[in-house]
PDB file of all heavy atoms in Angstrom:
ATOM      1  N   GLU W 140       6.487   2.198 -14.483  1.00 98.00           N
ATOM      2  CA  GLU W 140       6.925   3.345 -15.297  1.00 98.00           C
ATOM      3  C   GLU W 140       6.950   4.635 -14.481  1.00 98.00           C
ATOM      4  O   GLU W 140       7.877   5.438 -14.597  1.00 98.00           O
ATOM      5  CB  GLU W 140       6.020   3.499 -16.533  1.00 98.00           C
ATOM      6  CG  GLU W 140       6.341   2.455 -17.602  1.00 98.00           C
ATOM      7  CD  GLU W 140       5.267   2.317 -18.684  1.00 98.00           C
ATOM      8  OE1 GLU W 140       4.392   3.211 -18.776  1.00 98.00           O
ATOM      9  OE2 GLU W 140       5.310   1.309 -19.424  1.00 98.00           O
ATOM     10  N   THR W 141       5.908   4.833 -13.656  1.00 98.00           N
ATOM     11  CA  THR W 141       5.851   6.066 -12.857  1.00 98.00           C
ATOM     12  C   THR W 141       6.989   6.104 -11.841  1.00 98.00           C
ATOM     13  O   THR W 141       7.576   7.152 -11.585  1.00 98.00           O
ATOM     14  CB  THR W 141       4.496   6.161 -12.118  1.00 98.00           C
ATOM     15  OG1 THR W 141       3.458   5.926 -13.056  1.00 98.00           O
ATOM     16  CG2 THR W 141       4.295   7.532 -11.500  1.00 98.00           C
ATOM     17  N   MET W 142       7.293   4.950 -11.255  1.00 98.00           N
ATOM     18  CA  MET W 142       8.363   4.911 -10.250  1.00 98.00           C
ATOM     19  C   MET W 142       9.734   5.052 -10.929  1.00 98.00           C
ATOM     20  O   MET W 142      10.604   5.770 -10.428  1.00 98.00           O
ATOM     21  CB  MET W 142       8.303   3.611  -9.444  1.00 98.00           C
ATOM     22  CG  MET W 142       6.998   3.385  -8.684  1.00 98.00           C
ATOM     23  SD  MET W 142       6.449   4.749  -7.654  1.00 98.00           S
ATOM     24  CE  MET W 142       7.656   4.701  -6.325  1.00 98.00           C
ATOM     25  N   ALA W 143       9.924   4.385 -12.071  1.00 98.00           N
ATOM     26  CA  ALA W 143      11.216   4.430 -12.763  1.00 98.00           C
ATOM     27  C   ALA W 143      11.547   5.844 -13.245  1.00 98.00           C
ATOM     28  O   ALA W 143      12.720   6.216 -13.339  1.00 98.00           O
ATOM     29  CB  ALA W 143      11.221   3.454 -13.933  1.00 98.00           C
ATOM     30  N   ARG W 144      10.515   6.641 -13.506  1.00 98.00           N
ATOM     31  CA  ARG W 144      10.743   8.029 -13.947  1.00 98.00           C
ATOM     32  C   ARG W 144      11.578   8.803 -12.924  1.00 98.00           C
ATOM     33  O   ARG W 144      12.346   9.699 -13.263  1.00 98.00           O
ATOM     34  CB  ARG W 144       9.370   8.697 -14.146  1.00 98.00           C
ATOM     35  CG  ARG W 144       9.428  10.149 -14.577  1.00 98.00           C
ATOM     36  CD  ARG W 144       8.031  10.747 -14.663  1.00 98.00           C
ATOM     37  NE  ARG W 144       8.059  12.195 -14.616  1.00 98.00           N
ATOM     38  CZ  ARG W 144       7.003  12.942 -14.348  1.00 98.00           C
ATOM     39  NH1 ARG W 144       5.832  12.395 -14.105  1.00 98.00           N
ATOM     40  NH2 ARG W 144       7.108  14.253 -14.323  1.00 98.00           N
ATOM     41  N   LEU W 145      11.444   8.415 -11.635  1.00 98.00           N
ATOM     42  CA  LEU W 145      12.155   9.136 -10.571  1.00 98.00           C
ATOM     43  C   LEU W 145      13.674   8.959 -10.637  1.00 98.00           C
ATOM     44  O   LEU W 145      14.406   9.704 -10.015  1.00 98.00           O
ATOM     45  CB  LEU W 145      11.661   8.678  -9.191  1.00 98.00           C
ATOM     46  CG  LEU W 145      10.201   8.967  -8.853  1.00 98.00           C
ATOM     47  CD1 LEU W 145       9.870   8.445  -7.467  1.00 98.00           C
ATOM     48  CD2 LEU W 145       9.922  10.468  -8.920  1.00 98.00           C
ATOM     49  N   VAL W 146      14.124   7.970 -11.396  1.00 97.00           N
ATOM     50  CA  VAL W 146      15.569   7.770 -11.513  1.00 97.00           C
ATOM     51  C   VAL W 146      16.194   8.985 -12.195  1.00 97.00           C
ATOM     52  O   VAL W 146      17.270   9.450 -11.816  1.00 97.00           O
ATOM     53  CB  VAL W 146      15.883   6.473 -12.303  1.00 97.00           C
ATOM     54  CG1 VAL W 146      17.368   6.334 -12.584  1.00 97.00           C
ATOM     55  CG2 VAL W 146      15.358   5.253 -11.547  1.00 97.00           C
ATOM     56  N   SER W 147      15.484   9.532 -13.203  1.00 97.00           N
ATOM     57  CA  SER W 147      16.058  10.675 -13.926  1.00 97.00           C
ATOM     58  C   SER W 147      15.346  11.993 -13.641  1.00 97.00           C
ATOM     59  O   SER W 147      15.847  13.055 -13.966  1.00 97.00           O
ATOM     60  CB  SER W 147      16.031  10.390 -15.433  1.00 97.00           C
ATOM     61  OG  SER W 147      14.698  10.090 -15.810  1.00 97.00           O
ATOM     62  N   ASP W 148      14.159  11.934 -13.051  1.00 98.00           N
ATOM     63  CA  ASP W 148      13.391  13.160 -12.808  1.00 98.00           C
ATOM     64  C   ASP W 148      12.886  13.149 -11.369  1.00 98.00           C
ATOM     65  O   ASP W 148      11.982  12.389 -11.033  1.00 98.00           O
ATOM     66  CB  ASP W 148      12.207  13.215 -13.800  1.00 98.00           C
ATOM     67  CG  ASP W 148      11.277  14.393 -13.543  1.00 98.00           C
ATOM     68  OD1 ASP W 148      11.575  15.220 -12.659  1.00 98.00           O
ATOM     69  OD2 ASP W 148      10.242  14.486 -14.240  1.00 98.00           O
ATOM     70  N   GLN W 149      13.520  13.987 -10.529  1.00 97.00           N
ATOM     71  CA  GLN W 149      13.096  14.031  -9.120  1.00 97.00           C
ATOM     72  C   GLN W 149      12.371  15.332  -8.789  1.00 97.00           C
ATOM     73  O   GLN W 149      12.403  15.807  -7.663  1.00 97.00           O
ATOM     74  CB  GLN W 149      14.307  13.840  -8.210  1.00 97.00           C
ATOM     75  CG  GLN W 149      14.827  12.422  -8.249  1.00 97.00           C
ATOM     76  CD  GLN W 149      16.302  12.321  -8.540  1.00 97.00           C
ATOM     77  OE1 GLN W 149      17.036  13.295  -8.421  1.00 97.00           O
ATOM     78  NE2 GLN W 149      16.741  11.150  -8.948  1.00 97.00           N
ATOM     79  N   SER W 150      11.701  15.881  -9.810  1.00 98.00           N
ATOM     80  CA  SER W 150      10.942  17.114  -9.600  1.00 98.00           C
ATOM     81  C   SER W 150       9.791  16.831  -8.625  1.00 98.00           C
ATOM     82  O   SER W 150       9.339  15.689  -8.513  1.00 98.00           O
ATOM     83  CB  SER W 150      10.376  17.611 -10.933  1.00 98.00           C
ATOM     84  OG  SER W 150       9.466  16.662 -11.447  1.00 98.00           O
ATOM     85  N   PRO W 151       9.307  17.876  -7.942  1.00 98.00           N
ATOM     86  CA  PRO W 151       8.169  17.671  -7.023  1.00 98.00           C
ATOM     87  C   PRO W 151       6.975  17.051  -7.740  1.00 98.00           C
ATOM     88  O   PRO W 151       6.273  16.221  -7.161  1.00 98.00           O
ATOM     89  CB  PRO W 151       7.826  19.086  -6.545  1.00 98.00           C
ATOM     90  CG  PRO W 151       9.007  19.924  -6.848  1.00 98.00           C
ATOM     91  CD  PRO W 151       9.765  19.277  -7.954  1.00 98.00           C
ATOM     92  N   GLU W 152       6.785  17.411  -9.002  1.00 98.00           N
ATOM     93  CA  GLU W 152       5.659  16.866  -9.771  1.00 98.00           C
ATOM     94  C   GLU W 152       5.820  15.356  -9.957  1.00 98.00           C
ATOM     95  O   GLU W 152       4.852  14.594  -9.816  1.00 98.00           O
ATOM     96  CB  GLU W 152       5.551  17.544 -11.152  1.00 98.00           C
ATOM     97  CG  GLU W 152       5.130  19.002 -11.119  1.00 98.00           C
ATOM     98  CD  GLU W 152       6.261  19.973 -10.778  1.00 98.00           C
ATOM     99  OE1 GLU W 152       7.438  19.526 -10.726  1.00 98.00           O
ATOM    100  OE2 GLU W 152       5.978  21.165 -10.562  1.00 98.00           O
ATOM    101  N   ALA W 153       7.046  14.932 -10.292  1.00 98.00           N
ATOM    102  CA  ALA W 153       7.286  13.500 -10.523  1.00 98.00           C
ATOM    103  C   ALA W 153       7.151  12.710  -9.217  1.00 98.00           C
ATOM    104  O   ALA W 153       6.585  11.607  -9.205  1.00 98.00           O
ATOM    105  CB  ALA W 153       8.669  13.288 -11.128  1.00 98.00           C
TER     106      ALA W 153
END
Side-chain angles (χ1 to χ4, degrees):
E140 284 165 14
T141 311
M142 300 309 289
R144 179 184 160 197
L145 296 180
V146 173
S147 55
D148 175 4
Q149 289 128 17
S150 63
E152 291 80 9

